[in-house]
Amino acid sequence: MRRLFEVGELLRDTTVRVVVTCGTGGVGKTSVSAALAVSAAESGRHVVLVTVDPAKRLATALGLEGLGGEPQPVPGITGGSLDALMLDMTQTFDDAVRSHAPKNRVDEVLRNPFYKALSTSFSGTQDYMATEKLGQLYEQARSTGRWDLIVVDTPPSRSALDFLDAPARLDKLAEGPVLQLLAPSSGPLKLIGAGLSQVTWLISKVIGSKALSDLQVFATAFETVMGGFRRRAGVVRKLLASPATAFVIVASPRKAALDEARYFVGQLRDRGTTARGVVVNRVSPAVSLSREAEESLKQQPEAYDWWQTSWVTWRAQRSRMVSSLPVSLPITLARTLEREVTDLDVVRELGLLLVDGAGLAQEDERPVIDV
Ligand SMILES: Nc1ncnc2c1ncn2[C@@H]1O[C@H](COP(=O)(O)OP(=O)(O)OP(=O)(O)O)[C@@H](O)[C@H]1O
Ligand SMILES: [Mg+2]
């Protein structure tokens, strides 16, 4: 028999420092991440929720119209605390420079035209920046004690796995030909860094002396920044592979979403990680009735039809869950709420459903147990 995914237990477990939600597009990752974060915060934890999703939904749901790249306190949380932010890629890259480049060179680098060109193209790769941001938050959490849990809402679909692979790919990238070419200690820029007079004279003739000095500034700072970036990625890789990180897969009862959830489970397993559980969101509840209640409902044919249909729907959903999700995987269900997840009360309600267990709790029917 399948185990229930004990979401409350997970959120209370203080050895868990990072919760990452993943799943296919539109299943409710952002809503579930917010619900997990709010629930953990209200159970007394100090949580920071970072969304890689550029959609404004999270901001609206948390009452933070101006959600940006800096953690902002979510108003109305009781118990612990909750800060939220949206991944701002350029800002994250700038912050990386601030923390990795030599202190007296930071401003110079940030203003440098070569840096600007690189940062706009490189920071466009969401997963590197998400990795860097997670690393920054983790370091900040450790050094300031401001947070004891980081919840990460990943972008739609399989790109969430790119996020997992980003630290390793960053290493490869740094060793690859493009960055080797740019690295002052080994590539052609070594000449510039060393200030070899004839060569620099020649280059200054070709590209101009202003551009040359820009390139020199950039080249010397660049390696330090890349080094810091890679070190941080290494920390993140270890963190993601450790028991301090819990992966929560979000699905809906639709076949494609369930198949995608199974795909995620497999992908995590291939990386030596086990998904903590699956949230099947937007399930249609079916109410069980006693025989007498059923007989009396028959007197109202419309309501009786509706009730029967709800069971047909639920059984179809259940059989899809049974066939798609490995039985070793704990699951919890959240029913479709009456309202979209657009304010803190609804987020909280979703959190309660997740923590409550089946989220469909009927007196005599806890369907999740049979799935
Ligand atoms: N249990 C629920 N009941 C009712 N509405 C829900 C529920 N869960 C999510 N929603 C709604 O479904 C829509 C999609 O949810 P959400 O943005 O959380 O999904 P997502 O997986 O993050 O999407 P994307 O892949 O685009 O990032 C939103 O409008 C949200 O309010
Ligand atoms: Mg989302």
Side-chain angles (χ1 to χ4, degrees):
M1 193 171 283
R2 188 188 298 276
R3 272 182 309 128
L4 190 65
F5 176 22
E6 300 283 1
V7 173
E9 209 169 89
L10 168 73
L11 299 180
R12 281 192 303 273
D13 180 352
T14 51
T15 65
V16 173
R17 295 302 173 124
V18 181
V19 170
V20 181
T21 60
C22 42
T24 191
V27 288
K29 291 175 299 298
T30 301
S31 307
V32 168
S33 308
L36 295 174
V38 167
S39 178
E42 301 212 310
S43 77
R45 297 195 70 174
H46 298 283
V47 186
V48 59
L49 166 64
V50 53
T51 179
V52 183
D53 187 344
K56 279 275 171 206
R57 283 188 200 128
L58 181 75
T60 317
L62 298 175
L64 293 171
E65 281 313 325
L67 188 61
E70 286 298 321
Q72 263 188 73
V74 174
I77 297 290
T78 54
S81 64
L82 174 61
D83 293 330
L85 68 147
M86 204 152 86
L87 179 70
D88 176 328
M89 296 196 271
T90 316
Q91 188 187 338
T92 301
F93 204 7
D94 289 353
D95 286 346
V97 170
R98 283 191 193 95
S99 62
H100 304 312
K103 290 286 164 276
N104 56 346
R105 308 298 291 277
V106 169
D107 289 340
E108 205 178 359
V109 175
L110 292 179
R111 280 198 309 267
N112 186 282
F114 289 96
Y115 167 75
K116 280 189 180 157
L118 179 83
S119 75
T120 30
S121 53
F122 189 67
S123 67
T125 50
Q126 208 175 40
D127 26 316
Y128 295 138
M129 290 308 125
T131 303
E132 171 66 22
K133 190 74 220 176
L134 179 55
Q136 287 174 5
L137 290 171
Y138 186 63
E139 214 162 274
Q140 218 179 327
R142 282 210 303 198
S143 63
T144 65
R146 182 169 166 195
W147 306 298
D148 57 26
L149 180 65
I150 304 172
V151 178
V152 185
D153 166 37
T154 62
S157 194
R158 301 189 171 192
S159 56
L161 298 170
D162 297 345
F163 166 75
L164 289 180
D165 295 335
R169 277 188 290 118
L170 197 59
D171 275 352
K172 277 214 192 93
L173 185 75
E175 282 153 14
V178 177
L179 296 193
Q180 283 301 312
L181 208 67
L182 282 172
S185 66
S186 56
L189 294 190
K190 186 177 174 185
L191 302 176
I192 299 168
L196 211 71
S197 61
Q198 276 169 336
V199 179
T200 49
W201 180 83
L202 190 64
I203 295 174
S204 76
K205 286 288 153 218
V206 177
I207 65 171
S209 57
K210 169 74 171 67
L212 174 66
S213 75
D214 283 343
L215 192 56
Q216 278 171 323
V217 167
F218 173 71
T220 22
F222 181 75
E223 259 196 331
T224 333
V225 173
M226 273 321 278
F229 219 76
R230 288 175 70 192
R231 254 194 321 281
R232 188 112 78 188
V235 171
V236 172
R237 180 172 42 219
K238 281 203 197 103
L239 178 66
L240 291 176
S242 80
T245 299
F247 288 91
V248 173
I249 295 168
V250 186
S252 76
R254 293 176 45 204
K255 185 167 185 323
L258 290 165
D259 286 347
E260 199 69 4
R262 189 175 51 204
Y263 169 84
F264 274 108
V265 172
Q267 291 291 311
L268 285 171
R269 198 186 311 113
D270 291 349
R271 290 166 176 79
T273 310
T274 313
R276 281 295 270 263
V278 176
V279 170
V280 186
N281 186 32
R282 311 203 72 149
V283 170
S284 306
V287 181
S288 50
L289 297 176
S290 65
R291 217 160 260 297
E292 301 82 68
E294 188 179 337
E295 284 308 314
S296 79
L297 193 67
K298 278 186 185 163
Q299 311 308 313
Q300 302 167 52
E302 226 171 87
Y304 186 68
D305 272 359
W306 175 86
W307 177 77
Q308 282 197 312
T309 309
S310 73
W311 273 104
V312 171
T313 309
W314 162 244
R315 287 200 185 100
Q317 293 181 345
R318 183 164 63 184
S319 79
R320 283 199 293 273
M321 287 186 245
V322 171
S323 59
S324 298
L325 301 176
V327 76
S328 57
L329 199 64
I331 80 170
T332 187
L333 310 180
R335 63 179 164 77
T336 303
L337 298 162
E338 285 71 36
R339 289 195 291 145
E340 296 265 300
V341 186
T342 46
D343 63 49
L344 191 57
D345 284 340
V346 191
V347 173
R348 207 175 260 136
E349 190 182 345
L350 183 58
L352 285 175
L353 292 181
L354 297 175
V355 169
D356 174 50
L360 289 176
Q362 307 292 335
E363 281 189 356
D364 51 350
E365 169 83 358
R366 305 263 300 178
V368 68
I369 305 301
D370 298 336
V371 171

